[in-house]
Amino acid sequence: MKNEYYDETFLETQKNTLLQMKMNILNHMKTHAIDEIAPDRDQIVEDVDQSQILMAQSLSMGLRDRELSRLRQIEEALAKFEDGSYGLCEETGEPIGKKRLEKIPWVKLSIDAQEEIERTLRAA
């Protein structure tokens, strides 16, 4: 299905950006395994060492969770190219502004829809 709101050059650029972001995340995850910061048991000398190691691992796992979340968002955005819905707000169906898509290529909502959701959450 063809996206009637954006020209082919813009869509191709966005798709390439998303693919590059995906590749960067996967490469980072491949080269920075969580368990590679764990020392051998005989290297842990004091409780302080163990505490620092646990904090570093916790930080690493948090970063990994964020990477996985971003990877899912990128995958969802890439899937939208197939059905022609890339760049359309999931709430309103209206096109998302090009500048917003260039800044956040995986974005799902227009600025107006995002603001409405945030107003609703604040009011609750």
Side-chain angles (χ1 to χ4, degrees), residues 48-73:
V48 174
D49 290 339
Q50 189 171 11
S51 173
Q52 288 175 338
I53 291 165
L54 291 174
M55 283 179 34
Q57 284 178 325
S58 178
L59 177 63
S60 183
M61 285 186 277
L63 291 171
R64 179 63 50 102
D65 286 344
R66 283 193 291 280
E67 285 177 327
L68 288 171
S69 176
R70 179 61 37 83
L71 188 58
R72 278 190 291 276
Q73 291 171 325

Short mmCIF file of all heavy atoms in Angstrom, two decimals, residues 48-73:
data_model
loop_
_atom_site.label_atom_id
_atom_site.label_comp_id
_atom_site.label_asym_id
_atom_site.label_seq_id
_atom_site.Cartn_x
_atom_site.Cartn_y
_atom_site.Cartn_z
N VAL A 48 32.49 -4.31 49.16
CA VAL A 48 32.40 -3.08 48.36
C VAL A 48 32.58 -3.41 46.87
O VAL A 48 31.85 -2.89 46.03
CB VAL A 48 33.46 -2.05 48.81
CG1 VAL A 48 33.47 -0.84 47.90
CG2 VAL A 48 33.21 -1.63 50.25
N ASP A 49 33.53 -4.28 46.57
CA ASP A 49 33.73 -4.70 45.19
C ASP A 49 32.46 -5.34 44.63
O ASP A 49 32.03 -5.04 43.53
CB ASP A 49 34.88 -5.70 45.08
CG ASP A 49 36.24 -5.08 45.34
OD1 ASP A 49 36.36 -3.85 45.21
OD2 ASP A 49 37.16 -5.84 45.68
N GLN A 50 31.89 -6.23 45.42
CA GLN A 50 30.68 -6.93 44.98
C GLN A 50 29.54 -5.93 44.80
O GLN A 50 28.78 -6.02 43.84
CB GLN A 50 30.30 -8.01 45.99
CG GLN A 50 29.20 -8.91 45.47
CD GLN A 50 28.98 -10.11 46.37
OE1 GLN A 50 29.50 -10.18 47.47
NE2 GLN A 50 28.21 -11.04 45.89
N SER A 51 29.43 -4.97 45.69
CA SER A 51 28.39 -3.96 45.59
C SER A 51 28.54 -3.13 44.31
O SER A 51 27.57 -2.87 43.61
CB SER A 51 28.44 -3.04 46.82
OG SER A 51 27.55 -1.98 46.68
N GLN A 52 29.76 -2.74 44.01
CA GLN A 52 30.01 -1.97 42.80
C GLN A 52 29.70 -2.79 41.55
O GLN A 52 29.14 -2.28 40.58
CB GLN A 52 31.47 -1.50 42.76
CG GLN A 52 31.75 -0.40 43.76
CD GLN A 52 33.23 -0.02 43.81
OE1 GLN A 52 34.09 -0.80 43.43
NE2 GLN A 52 33.49 1.19 44.28
N ILE A 53 30.02 -4.05 41.60
CA ILE A 53 29.75 -4.93 40.47
C ILE A 53 28.25 -5.08 40.26
O ILE A 53 27.74 -4.99 39.14
CB ILE A 53 30.42 -6.30 40.66
CG1 ILE A 53 31.93 -6.14 40.55
CG2 ILE A 53 29.90 -7.33 39.67
CD1 ILE A 53 32.71 -7.31 41.07
N LEU A 54 27.50 -5.27 41.35
CA LEU A 54 26.05 -5.40 41.25
C LEU A 54 25.41 -4.12 40.73
O LEU A 54 24.47 -4.16 39.93
CB LEU A 54 25.46 -5.80 42.60
CG LEU A 54 25.79 -7.21 43.07
CD1 LEU A 54 25.28 -7.44 44.49
CD2 LEU A 54 25.21 -8.24 42.12
N MET A 55 25.92 -2.97 41.17
CA MET A 55 25.40 -1.69 40.66
C MET A 55 25.67 -1.55 39.17
O MET A 55 24.80 -1.12 38.41
CB MET A 55 26.01 -0.52 41.44
CG MET A 55 25.40 -0.33 42.81
SD MET A 55 26.11 1.01 43.79
CE MET A 55 26.54 2.24 42.63
N ALA A 56 26.86 -1.92 38.74
CA ALA A 56 27.21 -1.83 37.32
C ALA A 56 26.34 -2.77 36.49
O ALA A 56 25.87 -2.41 35.40
CB ALA A 56 28.69 -2.16 37.13
N GLN A 57 26.09 -3.98 37.00
CA GLN A 57 25.24 -4.92 36.29
C GLN A 57 23.81 -4.41 36.23
O GLN A 57 23.14 -4.55 35.20
CB GLN A 57 25.29 -6.29 36.95
CG GLN A 57 26.56 -7.04 36.66
CD GLN A 57 26.59 -8.39 37.36
OE1 GLN A 57 26.10 -8.53 38.47
NE2 GLN A 57 27.20 -9.37 36.71
N SER A 58 23.33 -3.83 37.30
CA SER A 58 21.98 -3.28 37.32
C SER A 58 21.84 -2.17 36.29
O SER A 58 20.85 -2.11 35.55
CB SER A 58 21.65 -2.76 38.72
OG SER A 58 20.38 -2.19 38.75
N LEU A 59 22.83 -1.29 36.23
CA LEU A 59 22.82 -0.22 35.24
C LEU A 59 22.85 -0.81 33.83
O LEU A 59 22.11 -0.37 32.95
CB LEU A 59 24.03 0.70 35.46
CG LEU A 59 24.20 1.83 34.45
CD1 LEU A 59 23.02 2.79 34.51
CD2 LEU A 59 25.49 2.57 34.71
N SER A 60 23.67 -1.81 33.62
CA SER A 60 23.78 -2.45 32.32
C SER A 60 22.45 -3.08 31.91
O SER A 60 22.03 -2.98 30.75
CB SER A 60 24.89 -3.49 32.35
OG SER A 60 25.05 -4.07 31.09
N MET A 61 21.78 -3.73 32.85
CA MET A 61 20.48 -4.35 32.54
C MET A 61 19.43 -3.29 32.23
O MET A 61 18.60 -3.49 31.35
CB MET A 61 20.04 -5.26 33.68
CG MET A 61 20.82 -6.56 33.71
SD MET A 61 20.21 -7.73 34.93
CE MET A 61 21.02 -7.14 36.39
N GLY A 62 19.48 -2.17 32.94
CA GLY A 62 18.55 -1.08 32.66
C GLY A 62 18.75 -0.53 31.25
O GLY A 62 17.79 -0.26 30.52
N LEU A 63 20.02 -0.36 30.89
CA LEU A 63 20.33 0.10 29.53
C LEU A 63 19.87 -0.91 28.49
O LEU A 63 19.33 -0.55 27.44
CB LEU A 63 21.83 0.35 29.39
CG LEU A 63 22.38 1.54 30.18
CD1 LEU A 63 23.90 1.55 30.13
CD2 LEU A 63 21.80 2.85 29.70
N ARG A 64 20.06 -2.19 28.78
CA ARG A 64 19.62 -3.24 27.87
C ARG A 64 18.09 -3.21 27.70
O ARG A 64 17.58 -3.35 26.58
CB ARG A 64 20.08 -4.60 28.39
CG ARG A 64 19.68 -5.82 27.57
CD ARG A 64 20.23 -5.85 26.16
NE ARG A 64 21.64 -5.63 26.07
CZ ARG A 64 22.57 -6.57 25.90
NH1 ARG A 64 22.21 -7.82 25.78
NH2 ARG A 64 23.83 -6.25 25.81
N ASP A 65 17.37 -2.99 28.79
CA ASP A 65 15.91 -2.90 28.70
C ASP A 65 15.49 -1.74 27.80
O ASP A 65 14.58 -1.86 26.99
CB ASP A 65 15.29 -2.73 30.09
CG ASP A 65 15.30 -4.00 30.90
OD1 ASP A 65 15.50 -5.09 30.31
OD2 ASP A 65 15.10 -3.92 32.13
N ARG A 66 16.17 -0.60 27.95
CA ARG A 66 15.85 0.56 27.10
C ARG A 66 16.18 0.26 25.64
O ARG A 66 15.43 0.65 24.73
CB ARG A 66 16.58 1.81 27.58
CG ARG A 66 15.92 2.41 28.81
CD ARG A 66 16.43 3.80 29.10
NE ARG A 66 17.80 3.85 29.56
CZ ARG A 66 18.20 3.61 30.79
NH1 ARG A 66 17.32 3.27 31.71
NH2 ARG A 66 19.47 3.70 31.13
N GLU A 67 17.30 -0.41 25.41
CA GLU A 67 17.65 -0.78 24.04
C GLU A 67 16.60 -1.71 23.43
O GLU A 67 16.22 -1.54 22.27
CB GLU A 67 19.02 -1.48 24.01
CG GLU A 67 20.19 -0.58 24.19
CD GLU A 67 21.51 -1.33 24.21
OE1 GLU A 67 21.54 -2.48 24.70
OE2 GLU A 67 22.50 -0.76 23.74
N LEU A 68 16.14 -2.67 24.20
CA LEU A 68 15.12 -3.60 23.70
C LEU A 68 13.81 -2.88 23.41
O LEU A 68 13.14 -3.16 22.41
CB LEU A 68 14.90 -4.74 24.71
CG LEU A 68 16.02 -5.76 24.79
CD1 LEU A 68 15.79 -6.72 25.97
CD2 LEU A 68 16.16 -6.53 23.49
N SER A 69 13.45 -1.95 24.28
CA SER A 69 12.24 -1.17 24.06
C SER A 69 12.35 -0.35 22.79
O SER A 69 11.43 -0.32 21.96
CB SER A 69 11.99 -0.26 25.27
OG SER A 69 10.88 0.58 25.03
N ARG A 70 13.47 0.32 22.61
CA ARG A 70 13.68 1.12 21.39
C ARG A 70 13.71 0.23 20.16
O ARG A 70 13.14 0.58 19.13
CB ARG A 70 14.99 1.90 21.53
CG ARG A 70 15.38 2.79 20.35
CD ARG A 70 14.40 3.90 20.02
NE ARG A 70 13.78 4.54 21.13
CZ ARG A 70 14.29 5.52 21.87
NH1 ARG A 70 15.46 6.01 21.61
NH2 ARG A 70 13.59 6.02 22.88
N LEU A 71 14.30 -0.94 20.27
CA LEU A 71 14.34 -1.88 19.16
C LEU A 71 12.92 -2.29 18.76
O LEU A 71 12.59 -2.34 17.56
CB LEU A 71 15.18 -3.11 19.52
CG LEU A 71 15.47 -4.10 18.42
CD1 LEU A 71 16.19 -3.44 17.25
CD2 LEU A 71 16.30 -5.26 18.97
N ARG A 72 12.06 -2.55 19.73
CA ARG A 72 10.66 -2.89 19.44
C ARG A 72 9.95 -1.73 18.74
O ARG A 72 9.20 -1.94 17.78
CB ARG A 72 9.91 -3.26 20.72
CG ARG A 72 10.12 -4.69 21.16
CD ARG A 72 9.17 -5.09 22.28
NE ARG A 72 9.48 -4.42 23.52
CZ ARG A 72 10.40 -4.80 24.41
NH1 ARG A 72 11.09 -5.89 24.17
NH2 ARG A 72 10.60 -4.13 25.52
N GLN A 73 10.19 -0.52 19.21
CA GLN A 73 9.57 0.66 18.58
C GLN A 73 10.04 0.81 17.12
O GLN A 73 9.24 1.11 16.23
CB GLN A 73 9.91 1.92 19.36
CG GLN A 73 9.26 1.98 20.72
CD GLN A 73 9.78 3.13 21.56
OE1 GLN A 73 10.94 3.49 21.49
NE2 GLN A 73 8.89 3.73 22.34
#
